[in-house]
Amino acid sequence: SLFNKMQAGLYAGLSVKLFQHSQRPLYIGPFVQYGVSNLIKSSDGTSQQLMFGGVKAEWILWRKKRK
């Protein structure tokens, strides 16, 4: 196989809570993900990692009622 089967990575992000007094708050913000392990098995010693960034949005539609 050309790719390493075991991968490790780091994930970080920030989010802001919108509609915080509502029953259905919205969390939105940027994030970045970085692969710390080599992606491809290389015979010449070069390393290649993946890096990805984007915007994450999470909308809480319902919550379990507390007893």
Side-chain angles (χ1 to χ4, degrees):
S1 174
L2 182 63
F3 294 101
N4 285 326
K5 295 191 187 309
M6 184 69 157
Q7 298 288 323
L10 299 171
Y11 180 94
L14 297 171
S15 63
V16 175
K17 183 178 181 182
L18 303 176
F19 315 117
Q20 56 188 339
H21 299 296
S22 168
Q23 290 286 351
R24 294 175 179 87
L26 173 67
Y27 297 90
I28 190 165
F31 75 95
V32 65
Q33 184 175 355
Y34 177 74
V36 294
S37 56
N38 285 336
L39 178 65
I40 297 176
K41 294 178 182 177
S42 174
S43 60
D44 62 357
T46 60
S47 64
Q48 294 181 0
Q49 287 85 17
L50 286 176
M51 185 170 178
F52 177 79
V55 176
K56 179 181 176 181
E58 181 179 359
W59 189 20
I60 308 299
L61 297 176
W62 62 85
R63 295 182 185 194
K64 291 184 180 180
K65 293 183 180 180
R66 296 182 187 183
K67 293 182 180 181

